[in-house]
Amino acid sequence: MDPAVLDLMLAGLPRVTDANVLLGFSHKDDAAVYRLPSGEQIVQTVDFFTPVVDDPFDYGQIAAANSLSDIYAMNARPLFALNIACFPKSQPPELWREVLRGGAAKAAEAGIAIVGGHTVDDTEPKYGLVVTGIVEPGRVWANEGARAGDTLILTKRIGTGLLTTLLKDGAVTEAQLADAVASMKELNRVAAAVLARFDVHACTDITGFGLLGHAGELCAASGVGMRFRASQVPLFPLARTLAVSRKFPGGTKVNRLYLGDRVTAAADVDEGLLWLLFDAQTSGGLLASLSPAQAEAALAALQEAGVEAAAIVGEVTESAGILVEA
Ligand code: CO
Ligand code: CO
């Protein structure tokens, strides 16, 4: 949703005073971290959204991968999940069985079971998961912790907001989006497991607020700024080509408006490319901030593990604000 509206909604809520809540929404982290009486720490997140592709099995997989992503973005391991679904009465149950099958398949790939859930009738369909995970105490990756001088690594291509909007408009076919659909279905599990071998200072996953929006959350929580090299950001080729159409989803436009003067783009940055950096993503990659001494080795390890889109996209700066260079 609109990040400005979200700020207004959250502003009225009571402060969390439970000392066992180690991470809540004060820094807009991907998931909450809670310390159990045993001392173990669990991580919990919920995410659901309207269909982004026509194929119901693909949609179920994408929604589940997206929900699991917040667990991986915090260096946690998923334990189990619950379905959360809004299904229109007018649509056949067989269709929604495919969605749920997609979710279950992705959960199985993540090594967990979906153990229950909740459904309601709704004219606008929505599906996703509540996921509970576990994290080693002291090893949580949060939005806080990025340090000036850190290198930024992004693990998936950008452009799914634009592409899925063009699909809804009938301007492209699902077959043309095969690489984007495969990317949205891909778990961030391998990327997180590889990054865990390195000294990650902060991490988040790129979803609705776009690359620059989620980067902005890391900046705010860590008290730093960032510099991105637009030409280094991995993109879906079709998104790059069709960025000139400016058929971006509403969320992308809202992201750009919300970030406003916190983002400065050099004069030679292509406008279509700049829009893509604000593009609202579905089930995007991880954005990790890590020591520059380890960045090349981490990138090589990611690519070796099959995270082929991974790229160094910029660095953390001392001065506040986000600078985008060509
Ligand atoms: Co997230
Ligand atoms: Co989320």
Side-chain angles (χ1 to χ4, degrees), residues 2 18 54 75 79 92 112 128 194 206 243 247 268 285:
D2 185 334
D18 186 337
D54 298 328
N75 197 23
L79 295 172
I112 63 164
V194 171
I206 306 304
K247 294 273 168 55
D268 57 345

Side-chain angles (χ1 to χ4, degrees), residues 93-114:
E94 292 75 20
L95 185 85
W96 291 99
R97 193 169 62 209
E98 281 302 292
V99 174
L100 295 177
R101 261 188 4 97
K106 199 42 72 173
E109 188 187 325
I112 63 164
I114 295 176

Side-chain angles (χ1 to χ4, degrees), residues 197-286:
R197 287 155 38 194
F198 299 89
D199 182 23
V200 172
H201 297 154
C203 184
T204 191
D205 61 333
I206 306 304
T207 52
F209 299 151
L211 174 61
L212 295 183
H214 289 284
E217 291 180 338
L218 288 191
C219 290
S222 302
V224 295
M226 288 179 185
R227 177 163 50 229
F228 285 91
R229 282 184 299 279
S231 60
Q232 304 296 308
V233 175
L235 305 168
F236 295 104
L238 190 61
R240 182 68 189 94
T241 309
L242 297 178
V244 288
S245 74
R246 300 286 195 278
K247 294 273 168 55
F248 287 95
T252 301
K253 293 165 189 165
V254 160
N255 289 341
R256 187 161 185 177
L257 205 64
Y258 178 75
L259 286 157
D261 53 13
R262 276 187 286 163
V263 174
T264 310
D268 57 345
V269 177
D270 176 83
E271 184 64 12
L273 178 53
L274 185 60
W275 270 108
L276 281 169
L277 305 189
F278 290 101
D279 191 33
Q281 301 299 286
T282 296
S283 192
L286 300 179

